[in-house]
Amino acid sequence: ESTKNLDLSIDFGFFNHRIDGSFAYYNKNVKGLLLASTLPPSSGIASIWGNIGDLVNSGIEFSVTTTNLDAQNLKWQTTFNVSYNHNEVKKLTSNMDKTGTGMVEVPFITKTGYGVREYYVADFAGIDPQTGLGQIYALDHDTYNKTGETQRLKDSQGKDVLLLATNSNINSNVFHLKGRSAMPTYYGGITNRFSYKALDLSILVTFSGGNYILDTFMRDLVNPNSTGEMLADFDQNYWKKPGDKAKYQRLDWLGNIKMEDGTVIGMGDYHSYTNQFLFKGDFVKLKTISFGYTLRTSSKTKIFRAFRIFATLENLHTFTKYPGWEPEGQCLVTQWDLPQLFSASVGVNVKL
């Protein structure tokens, strides 16, 4: 693997350094990207490293610190930083992409001309009001075989063709959700620091977004199962009778549906993925609040020069539309692990 880097940066300061900051641009061109590729179980080896292609990773970083107030006893300072990142696959080797349709590791696809690890799942079309069963959009297989592009199949009237969201239909009608990646495109934070005489207060807010989270554990919680775990939202929003415009499909057992003709179809297999539970991962988090009091002594005091007592609160609240427990650092969720917990601590610093 070889890399060519371009890094440009401008540092600035205005008004006697009441405003300081920097602006940076980076471009990382990777040739012969190394990746551990998964091998079939029959090989006896889990994965093997190889050069899979070329990748460009570029972005900008901006940081600024302002002194908003600088009075005799009262000060207020703000630091803001944000980073934007864009990656694009420029080439995949023929070993990894023989047909030109991309390197697939469901539910992700990496394809020339697009970002790394974009989602590759079936396109959910909602719950059928008459049957209470989930539906997906049919893939135009002819177009896919000719061009490698995924698009919806149309009927003679120009309408989208819908299929039952069975396990087999989901696995054979998969779409490249272009631009919907598991990787954030921006992230940053803002810190405000206040001080008044011996008191100080610091507030940190962080943010991130541009990514998507596929929550398969939430999918499992809307299918009755042997553990007895069910999503509370399911109780009020599942299909009950013909005509219902429901959020979730009708009650079943472990995804097995008995049709009117007596046949049983499988729906809800954990190896089958749709975008029904694909959510934006954007969030703003009130990360840290720290409050302190500092007692300074004269130079004649031999015990200590400064004594500071402080209290810190961590992970106070997260503002997000993601309905799971924790959006930060998530992409493919298979289990709701404990989120970053709220914590409170107090401490003392002594400067001798």
Side-chain angles (χ1 to χ4, degrees), residues 192-206:
N192 281 286
R193 301 178 185 89
F194 306 88
S195 64
Y196 176 70
K197 293 184 178 180
L199 299 173
D200 63 85
L201 172 67
S202 177
I203 302 173
L204 170 63
V205 176
T206 61

Side-chain angles (χ1 to χ4, degrees), residues 48-91:
I48 187 171
W49 286 90
N51 300 98
I52 67 163
D54 301 339
L55 172 73
V56 171
N57 200 33
S58 61
I60 59 174
E61 297 174 341
F62 176 73
S63 176
V64 62
T65 297
T66 62
T67 301
N68 309 313
L69 185 62
D70 190 6
Q72 183 176 0
N73 294 316
L74 180 61
K75 293 184 179 181
W76 171 24
Q77 188 181 69
T78 300
T79 298
F80 172 78
N81 66 84
V82 63
S83 298
Y84 295 90
N85 183 71
H86 171 76
N87 65 73
E88 182 180 335
V89 177
K90 291 298 184 179
K91 186 181 75 172

Side-chain angles (χ1 to χ4, degrees), residues 5-17:
N5 288 331
L6 172 64
D7 294 285
L8 302 174
S9 178
I10 298 176
D11 296 330
F12 58 85
F14 301 104
F15 309 113
N16 198 25
H17 294 287

Side-chain angles (χ1 to χ4, degrees), residues 136-253:
I136 60 170
Y137 292 100
L139 174 69
D140 188 334
H141 288 275
D142 289 338
T143 299
Y144 177 75
N145 291 334
K146 292 177 182 178
T147 67
E149 295 293 322
T150 57
Q151 64 182 41
R152 294 176 182 176
L153 179 65
K154 305 290 185 178
D155 62 17
S156 59
Q157 304 298 318
K159 296 181 180 180
D160 294 323
V161 176
L162 303 182
L163 304 172
L164 276 178
T166 63
N167 301 329
S168 58
N169 282 342
I170 288 174
N171 293 331
S172 58
N173 292 269
V174 186
F175 288 79
H176 177 191
L177 305 186
K178 298 173 182 177
R180 298 189 183 185
S181 171
M183 304 175 68
T185 58
Y186 67 89
Y187 52 88
I190 182 169
T191 302
N192 281 286
R193 301 178 185 89
F194 306 88
S195 64
Y196 176 70
K197 293 184 178 180
L199 299 173
D200 63 85
L201 172 67
S202 177
I203 302 173
L204 170 63
V205 176
T206 61
F207 59 88
S208 177
N211 62 307
Y212 286 79
I213 300 171
L214 183 59
D215 197 327
T216 62
F217 187 65
M218 183 176 291
R219 174 203 62 191
D220 298 339
L221 291 180
V222 299
N223 287 304
N225 53 72
S226 58
T227 67
E229 297 175 330
M230 290 292 293
L231 197 66
D233 187 50
F234 179 80
D235 183 57
Q236 302 297 323
N237 294 286
Y238 73 89
W239 185 92
K240 300 177 181 65
K241 63 183 185 304
D244 283 351
K245 294 182 178 180
K247 184 177 180 180
Y248 304 112
Q249 72 177 30
R250 71 193 200 190
L251 285 169
D252 61 79
W253 177 248

